[in-house]
Amino acid sequence: MAVDMSMQILVVDDYKTMIRIISNLLKQLGFNNVDSAADGAEALEKMRHGGYGLVISDWNMEPMTGFELLTEVRADAKLKPTPFIMVTAESKTENVVAAKKAGVNNYIVKPFNAATLKSKMVSVIGDF
Amino acid sequence: MAQNNALPRAIEHALSHLGDTIAPEANLAEVLGAFETIITTLQDSMNECDTHINAGLQSVKEIIQSSSDELADLPLWNIAHLKEAKEEVSIVVNATECAANQIMAHAETILNADSSVPEAYNNCVTDAVMQIFEACTFQDITGQRLSRVTEEFNAVESQVVRSMKIIGIDNSATDSVSTDKDRSKRDPLLNGPANEGEGVAQEDIDALFD
């Protein structure tokens, strides 16, 4: 099934610089409908109001981490199917394993480049 | 300070008593008896001084012991953490230098690009700009590293303030223990950016998802 390039993507990170970077990368990839949240709690609130086709989230945030957000999303019947990619500096194996157990669709370690972001998005939402 | 004057008063009293007791024609036994009275009086006074001094010393000893016990009860702060914080700062310095060089290199690419062929020029500029954005990811990682350094300084400050309170040094500054941001206690998986050579490479992570 062809990827809907107009789908809304939610970028979650407490660093505005990172949101700006990922948003620009997404626009270069053809996704112009990008929203953002500064932490897991704000992201969860937005997700419960809007339909997002993909969530790209950092891990280390307050008051709700990206891992906690992932857990909440997977526990919510409506939000559960939402594709979720973790983009984080947390690079220990235990982190990746825990996120995978919690239901993350893919995991990108910072620093990353546009090619990595695209390849992980393709593996999660399909080719575009 | 009554006890400080007790001994001199006792001596004065004894000498006065001696003068009153011994008549000019007193015999040896009477003189010895008077001196015995003086000695007994002085001994009583000195015993009383000893008691006060001992009580004072005991009080000081108890204060020192109590302070020592309270200091010993403080959570151990590992000075090795300061060394780690210094290393974090050093890594930040290197990372920012590296990012600055990358950004400047890509900016130079744009400046030197041949604009005679618009499409090629456009692709060149776009590629360089995207690599500049990628280089800017240093800010996120350096920010996380510096946050850990800040937490370490907060821990040092807290320890110093608590120690000062225990030993009775007045300090008008309030405790600044940052418990709200003590994320690692709430989430043991929060380790922050890995140092070079540590952490898992993207290829190894990809293998877990294949």
Side-chain angles (χ1 to χ4, degrees), chain A residues 60 62 90-91 95 109 114, chain B residues 134 183 189 191-192 200 202 205:
Chain A
N60 195 345
E62 283 286 331
E90 303 291 341
S91 60
N95 293 88
V109 176
Chain B
E134 289 171 15
R183 305 173 187 179
L189 289 172
N191 299 292
V200 182
Q202 186 64 52
I205 293 171

Side-chain angles (χ1 to χ4, degrees), chain A residues 7-26:
Chain A
M7 74 168 165
Q8 195 170 31
I9 299 177
L10 181 63
V11 178
V12 191
D13 203 302
D14 54 347
Y15 278 85
K16 289 180 184 170
T17 309
M18 188 52 59
I19 289 180
R20 196 168 162 183
I21 291 168
I22 296 178
S23 299
N24 275 287
L25 291 177
L26 289 171

Side-chain angles (χ1 to χ4, degrees), chain A residues 15 17-18 21 25 28 59-60 62-63 68 90-93 95 100 105 107-110 113-114 120, chain B residues 126 130 133-134 136-137 139-140 143-144 183 186-187 189-192 194 199-200 202 205-206 208-209:
Chain A
Y15 278 85
T17 309
M18 188 52 59
I21 291 168
L25 291 177
Q28 282 301 308
W59 186 312
N60 195 345
E62 283 286 331
E68 289 166 336
E90 303 291 341
S91 60
K92 292 193 187 276
T93 307
N95 293 88
K100 194 155 188 272
N105 295 102
Y107 197 105
I108 299 173
V109 176
K110 292 174 181 175
N113 55 34
K120 302 308 161 219
Chain B
T126 302
M130 295 317 299
F133 276 117
E134 289 171 15
C136 289
T137 56
Q139 192 270 339
D140 174 89
Q144 290 185 46
R183 305 173 187 179
R186 206 183 81 214
D187 185 349
L189 289 172
L190 282 172
N191 299 292
V200 182
Q202 186 64 52
I205 293 171
D206 294 347
L208 291 171
F209 284 87

Side-chain angles (χ1 to χ4, degrees), chain A residues 48-69:
Chain A
R48 287 187 171 138
H49 282 92
Y52 294 95
L54 170 65
V55 174
I56 299 174
S57 176
D58 185 20
W59 186 312
N60 195 345
M61 299 178 289
E62 283 286 331
M64 182 186 285
T65 68
F67 184 80
E68 289 166 336
L69 169 64

Side-chain angles (χ1 to χ4, degrees), chain B residues 24-96:
Chain B
E25 64 279 11
N27 62 28
L28 182 58
E30 288 170 338
V31 171
L32 288 176
F35 274 109
E36 192 176 344
T37 304
I38 293 171
I39 290 169
T40 304
T41 305
L42 289 175
Q43 276 182 335
D44 290 344
S45 295
M46 289 180 75
N47 286 341
E48 193 180 331
C49 285
D50 279 348
T51 302
H52 286 305
I53 291 170
N54 283 341
L57 287 173
Q58 183 64 26
S59 178
V60 169
K61 180 188 169 187
E62 286 167 2
I63 290 171
I64 291 172
Q65 186 63 51
S66 172
S67 299
S68 175
D69 290 345
E70 284 189 71
L71 286 169
D73 282 343
L74 284 178
L76 278 178
W77 170 67
N78 192 344
I79 199 166
H81 290 175
L82 259 189
K83 189 181 174 192
E84 289 171 9
K86 282 167 62 178
E87 287 171 2
E88 294 275 21
V89 172
S90 180
I91 291 171
V92 165
V93 169
N94 291 337
T96 51

Side-chain angles (χ1 to χ4, degrees), chain B:
Chain B
M1 294 290 184
Q3 51 266 44
N4 288 348
N5 298 328
L7 188 56
R9 279 206 306 271
I11 293 172
E12 185 184 345
H13 177 76
L15 289 173
S16 173
H17 180 73
L18 179 67
D20 294 339
T21 308
I22 303 177
E25 64 279 11
N27 62 28
L28 182 58
E30 288 170 338
V31 171
L32 288 176
F35 274 109
E36 192 176 344
T37 304
I38 293 171
I39 290 169
T40 304
T41 305
L42 289 175
Q43 276 182 335
D44 290 344
S45 295
M46 289 180 75
N47 286 341
E48 193 180 331
C49 285
D50 279 348
T51 302
H52 286 305
I53 291 170
N54 283 341
L57 287 173
Q58 183 64 26
S59 178
V60 169
K61 180 188 169 187
E62 286 167 2
I63 290 171
I64 291 172
Q65 186 63 51
S66 172
S67 299
S68 175
D69 290 345
E70 284 189 71
L71 286 169
D73 282 343
L74 284 178
L76 278 178
W77 170 67
N78 192 344
I79 199 166
H81 290 175
L82 259 189
K83 189 181 174 192
E84 289 171 9
K86 282 167 62 178
E87 287 171 2
E88 294 275 21
V89 172
S90 180
I91 291 171
V92 165
V93 169
N94 291 337
T96 51
E97 181 185 355
C98 182
N101 286 332
Q102 286 177 343
I103 290 167
M104 286 190 289
H106 296 308
E108 284 163 0
T109 299
I110 293 172
L111 287 173
N112 297 329
D114 180 4
S115 59
S116 61
V117 180
E119 190 177 340
Y121 178 73
N122 191 49
N123 290 339
C124 174
V125 169
T126 302
D127 284 345
V129 166
M130 295 317 299
Q131 293 196 52
I132 287 173
F133 276 117
E134 289 171 15
C136 289
T137 56
F138 82 93
Q139 192 270 339
D140 174 89
I141 294 173
T142 55
Q144 290 185 46
R145 290 190 184 278
L146 290 176
S147 290
R148 280 157 54 162
V149 173
T150 303
E151 285 178 12
E152 206 53 49
F153 279 123
N154 285 338
V156 171
E157 181 188 21
S158 171
Q159 198 80 328
V160 168
V161 168
R162 287 164 77 178
S163 298
M164 287 171 70
K165 276 185 181 173
I166 286 171
I167 60 178
I169 296 175
D170 184 27
N171 179 19
S172 58
T174 56
D175 282 343
S176 60
V177 175
S178 177
T179 56
D180 288 343
K181 292 192 182 276
D182 198 356
R183 305 173 187 179
S184 62
K185 281 187 182 174
R186 206 183 81 214
D187 185 349
L189 289 172
L190 282 172
N191 299 292
N195 294 330
E196 198 169 331
E198 300 173 3
V200 182
Q202 186 64 52
E203 297 78 29
D204 297 324
I205 293 171
D206 294 347
L208 291 171
F209 284 87
D210 289 339

